[in-house]
Amino acid sequence: MTTIFDNPDEFAEDQLEGFLDLYADRLRGVPGGVVTLPSGEPQVAVVIGGGSGHYPAFAGTVGPGLATGAVVGNIFTSPSAAQAYSVAKAAEQGRGVIFSFGNYAGDNMNFGIAAERLRKEGIDARIVVVTDDIASADETERRRGIAGDFSVFKAMGAAAAEGLDIDEVERIGLASNAATRTLGVAFSGCTMPGADSPLFSVPDGHLGLGLGIHGEPGIEDIPLMRANELAELLVSRLLAAAPADAGPRVAPIVNGLGTTKYEELFLLWRHIARLLREAGYEPVEPEVGELVTSLDMGGASLTLQWLDGELERLWRADAYTPAYRKQRAPIDALDADAVIGAGDGAEDAAAPEASAAAARLTGVAVDAIRALHAVVEEKEDELGRIDAVAGDGDHGRGMLKGASAALAVADSLPEGAGVGWSLGRIGRSWAANAGGTSGVLWGAALEALGASLGDTADEYTAADLADAIDAFCESIVDLGRASLGDKTLLDAALPFAEAFRAGVGKGASTAAAWRAASTVAVDAAAATAELRPRVGRARPLAEKSVGTPDAGATSFGMIVTAVADTLDR
Amino acid sequence: MTTIFDNPDEFAEDQLEGFLDLYADRLRGVPGGVVTLPSGEPQVAVVIGGGSGHYPAFAGTVGPGLATGAVVGNIFTSPSAAQAYSVAKAAEQGRGVIFSFGNYAGDNMNFGIAAERLRKEGIDARIVVVTDDIASADETERRRGIAGDFSVFKAMGAAAAEGLDIDEVERIGLASNAATRTLGVAFSGCTMPGADSPLFSVPDGHLGLGLGIHGEPGIEDIPLMRANELAELLVSRLLAAAPADAGPRVAPIVNGLGTTKYEELFLLWRHIARLLREAGYEPVEPEVGELVTSLDMGGASLTLQWLDGELERLWRADAYTPAYRKQRAPIDALDADAVIGAGDGAEDAAAPEASAAAARLTGVAVDAIRALHAVVEEKEDELGRIDAVAGDGDHGRGMLKGASAALAVADSLPEGAGVGWSLGRIGRSWAANAGGTSGVLWGAALEALGASLGDTADEYTAADLADAIDAFCESIVDLGRASLGDKTLLDAALPFAEAFRAGVGKGASTAAAWRAASTVAVDAAAATAELRPRVGRARPLAEKSVGTPDAGATSFGMIVTAVADTLDR
């Protein structure tokens, strides 16, 4: 949905005004579009263009090393011949003008007329049409221009910046287009400013293969697929359409159409990079991001430009425009051989010497972790459902990740390790692997439990365990900044600690006191349903959670109950 | 909708892998996140972070002049303390570590624990929490961190790159946060990878004021507004929340949340810039684009950092990261005083001398243009409706823009100007102002009509007009690459030309022949309803258009009919 506008009919002009204000230090607005301020020796003017709605195409890639000017039409509409003529006159530096644009009827006409008029005035004017979209037609010259526009503009812009003459820049433009292929997919349509509905839509669970960039639907709707399959589809079809003389070096672009997120494009690139390398190709300075968009359309395309030495030099060349900036110098200044990252070397240290009692207690702790892991694994979905009422539903998954990591450490402890050192490693492993708030709380709390017990006591009493459980709770209070009644894990843990200490004070065995305290914890967890959270939740969610117990308190109750069984044995 | 992923649970790791492949020449992946390769003298490590789903925050802004490392959590989830510790150890260059992140409970905990652990190892570790979101709380220290994250990271990154010590970089970070305020609006919610529905939604026709960046809804839903009102809202509330010692220079960020398009942000910036200047502020090197996003959320925020001399120096400093690159040198190399753009000076030339007959015919042409304008104005909506069936519905609007521009020229022609010169000006004005394909066709065709008539004949016959009408049609054939039967303007224009010539051949007066030919044109236009377009339309639209006449042919029929009345007089 295009949401920010004033008069929808004037969207293109209005946005251009903001853009020109923003880049007033480097671009000049002229009737019909924008031109870069000149620098150094005069160069061939590369004037690109087309409709609006494609940012950064076309005005966003005007500047040193790329286009000299951009003609700016209305949304998805060819600029007029007079606009193209006007921008060309402003961009021209005495060495001729090359118009370059994607292959559409209106653009061909208007840029064609503008070139004619320039020639009548004695200005050398050429045209390089981009035809990269392999889905649009079988014959190369009938194909549309989509994201490959950028590849062709980049080659010509770099050639012009090198000072080459108009024949050379035109030759390079044509060669660059001949070496460039694109295939794209649409996930969702785009909506014009002021319109209520998108120009097209993709059926649910499908993607449109062979998208256009003006709200044209894909050529074929096919079922939606995972990223690895999508990468396979794009790479295999593009490689099948390679130019006849294709070498092994390619400049890839994974282009986002507007709504598709950079992180999604990175994920897609991961598979594309692998597939290209497996096919014997070497990706050269890939670009992943938005270069030619289509308003708020969802989708992505893959462009490959097959490189020879000349095209590779131009592809790698520096450029500095509002939306596209490339400079080798800052990267070359980095020390590629630097040794990075000591990492957490502390974890590799050997266990300190421990008393027999501390080593024996490690065995109890390992059994408890095993029981904990089993119950979390069993209850994962239930905990997720409870958490989903007012949270993001990941409590079960996060707890299981942490418990699994803890169990892996517990299962590989060195012989004779003390309970303090062991629970420290177990806790850090939990925190490192669970992620999220519950992960760090459980990890730190287990570490605190261990630190309280230590590795050196000659014997451990039930009172020592009560102290350790208090340390467990204190660590959570310290880190979580929550209090009793805030609808957190503490609402089960604090009553548990109190009941355990009371039971021990009355002379109950560790196992009996723990079991009785477990019942208290489970009841207390259930009672959190009546509470309203006061920490770390936005207000609407806080209201929503009333009537459902806290997931963290619930999992605590489950865990101490499961652990009680190991103490009985 | 997040669409590209493999296993939704592993989205964060998978995208990071692609990102690291892409920037392997400058970044190193370490357990828990990424660090930049070091360069030059050791510097204070600025380690930023938080959950994934915010690209370019946080990994996208690691590099020279900005962050030293970024900790990468799962989507919208704090990274663990172990991750933060691991990245900090890798980023640390012997001058200490500053963690910086937005103010959230999980991040505070995890980065806090990591800092503690670093300190235990003798590494100086500090924390700078960003609290810029004025909607989230009244007390500054309780506010969330949103797009102002970037402003604070930039100040600290630049300070570290200058070689300042950890006390100074920390002081600057705190000062930068104290000088930074943000307010945002949400237009639509975001969807987690693999989820069926967004985390929240904004009611139709509304916006959520005071958005969060983790799928938290806005604090208040208010009716959607035009861009100028939205700018007013954001600017006025931010200025009301200015720091006590605020000066007149501000570094603004207009941040897009994910789905909101750059062109929309430019449009919004236009109003914000005006309002800031009206309020006496000087915007310094504004940034407009995506810096801190929230998956595919729709929305935007405005951040202002009030600058003193130090913060302005740091804000203006160069930086080179995957997503944010700033270097003054290429801009300073541009010639800001260059005289740009001769523009279309030809239009200012005086009319060439014309014969009396040619000057008389100009009067006829002006009357015809007036009639043409009147009928297009009257029929604008009807033409729009016809065009909307298979096109973008702008035919009526485009024709009226062109006709209005043509009429303006026609009304201001110099006394005695010939019909050839006059129709040339009229045609170019039409094409320049109408935009789109029909604009360039009508403009060029009128110019061709005039060129055929010329300015020098001693008399003009009906046969001369028939020749001129043929030139009109030929120009359209040449430019539009269409033929009879392709469902275009030509399907009315060619029968019209033929009928006019036939009528003239049979001795009819110009007016009578024209009127008869007009009837032919109207019938031919209606008959285009049976045709299927063969030029410049995607296939699905071609099918859709069957049953509706071509809008261009229809307007041609209307126009020649209206012009016939002026010839009768």
Side-chain angles (χ1 to χ4, degrees), chain B residues 294-456:
Chain B
S294 181
L295 286 175
D296 60 331
M297 184 162 151
S301 63
L302 173 63
T303 298
L304 293 178
Q305 182 175 65
W306 274 264
L307 300 172
D308 58 15
E310 181 176 68
L311 287 177
E312 180 161 341
R313 181 187 81 232
L314 298 166
W315 176 249
R316 286 174 174 276
D318 285 355
Y320 202 86
T321 73
Y324 180 82
R325 300 168 195 176
K326 181 176 183 121
Q327 275 169 303
R328 270 318 296 183
I331 299 167
D332 291 338
L334 298 174
D335 178 2
D337 300 322
V339 176
I340 294 240
D344 190 348
E347 296 296 357
D348 299 328
E353 192 140 340
S355 68
R360 206 163 42 237
L361 208 49
T362 296
V364 177
V366 169
D367 286 347
I369 292 292
R370 202 180 316 282
L372 176 161
H373 175 266
V375 73
V376 167
E377 190 167 43
E378 183 195 338
K379 305 289 190 183
E380 179 191 357
D381 290 347
E382 183 180 338
L383 292 171
R385 278 194 298 276
I386 296 173
D387 186 41
V389 173
D392 50 11
D394 71 348
H395 183 71
R397 191 190 308 146
M399 287 294 288
L400 183 57
K401 275 191 183 176
S404 302
L407 183 59
V409 170
D411 278 344
S412 61
L413 290 169
E415 193 69 33
V419 69
W421 183 84
S422 298
L423 282 173
R425 288 199 72 162
I426 287 169
R428 283 193 295 279
S429 175
W430 182 310
N433 290 285
T437 304
S438 70
V440 69
L441 291 177
W442 268 93
L446 289 171
E447 205 173 345
L449 184 76
S452 172
L453 293 170
D455 292 319
T456 55

Side-chain angles (χ1 to χ4, degrees), chain B residues 167-183:
Chain B
D167 289 335
E168 280 292 279
V169 180
E170 182 187 29
R171 178 187 60 74
I172 284 166
L174 296 170
S176 165
N177 181 58
T180 302
R181 303 283 187 278
T182 300
L183 180 63

Side-chain angles (χ1 to χ4, degrees), chain A residues 273-318:
Chain A
R274 176 179 49 77
L275 292 166
L276 287 175
R277 289 182 187 121
E278 282 172 11
Y281 286 96
E282 176 62 35
V284 177
E285 302 198 357
E287 291 293 339
V288 176
E290 294 183 358
L291 287 172
V292 180
T293 64
S294 182
L295 286 174
D296 60 331
M297 183 162 151
S301 64
L302 172 62
T303 299
L304 293 178
Q305 182 175 66
W306 274 265
L307 300 173
D308 57 16
E310 181 176 67
L311 288 176
E312 180 161 342
R313 181 187 82 231
L314 299 166
W315 176 249
R316 287 175 175 276
D318 285 355

Side-chain angles (χ1 to χ4, degrees), chain B residues 229-285:
Chain B
E229 297 160 332
L230 177 57
E232 175 73 40
L233 173 80
L234 294 173
V235 170
S236 62
R237 296 218 185 180
L238 272 193
L239 293 185
D245 54 349
R249 298 179 69 79
V250 289
I253 296 174
V254 178
N255 178 57
L257 269 293
T259 292
T260 298
K261 177 117 193 122
Y262 274 63
E263 280 142 321
E264 295 177 82
L265 303 177
F266 294 145
L267 196 151
L268 185 60
W269 168 249
R270 169 175 173 253
H271 294 295
I272 290 171
R274 176 177 50 77
L275 292 165
L276 287 175
R277 289 181 187 121
E278 282 171 12
Y281 285 96
E282 177 63 34
V284 177
E285 301 197 358

Side-chain angles (χ1 to χ4, degrees), chain A residues 364-374 403 406-407 410 423 426 430 446 563:
Chain A
V364 177
V366 169
D367 286 347
I369 292 293
R370 203 179 315 282
L372 177 161
H373 175 267
L407 182 59
L423 282 173
I426 287 169
W430 182 310
L446 289 172
V563 168

Side-chain angles (χ1 to χ4, degrees), chain B residues 34 71 80 115-116 134 180 189 191 206 212 219 225 305 311 335 340 356 387 465 468 478 480 483 488 511:
Chain B
V34 307
V71 194
S80 71
E116 267 312 319
I134 64 167
T180 302
T191 306
H206 284 70
I219 281 158
M225 52 188 78
Q305 182 175 65
L311 287 177
D335 178 2
I340 294 240
D387 186 41
L465 185 53
D478 281 354
S483 310
T488 71

Side-chain angles (χ1 to χ4, degrees), chain A residues 6 261 271 293 325 327, chain B residues 6 261 271 293 325 327 440:
Chain A
D6 295 301
K261 177 119 192 119
H271 294 295
T293 64
R325 299 167 196 176
Q327 273 169 304
Chain B
D6 296 299
K261 177 117 193 122
H271 294 295
T293 64
R325 300 168 195 176
Q327 275 169 303
V440 69

Side-chain angles (χ1 to χ4, degrees), chain A residues 3-4 6 21 38 80 109-110 117 226 261 264 269 271 277 293 320 325 327 335 428 431 440 479, chain B residues 3-4 6 21 38 80 109-110 226 261 264 269 271 277 293 320 325 327 335 428 431 440 479:
Chain A
T3 313
I4 304 179
D6 295 301
D21 179 273
S80 71
M109 272 196 292
N110 286 303
R117 205 191 287 185
R226 289 280 161 119
K261 177 119 192 119
E264 295 176 81
W269 168 249
H271 294 295
R277 289 182 187 121
T293 64
Y320 202 85
R325 299 167 196 176
Q327 273 169 304
D335 178 4
R428 284 194 294 279
V440 69
L479 285 171
Chain B
T3 314
I4 303 179
D6 296 299
D21 179 273
S80 71
M109 271 196 293
N110 287 303
R226 290 279 160 120
K261 177 117 193 122
E264 295 177 82
W269 168 249
H271 294 295
R277 289 181 187 121
T293 64
Y320 202 86
R325 300 168 195 176
Q327 275 169 303
D335 178 2
R428 283 193 295 279
V440 69
L479 284 171

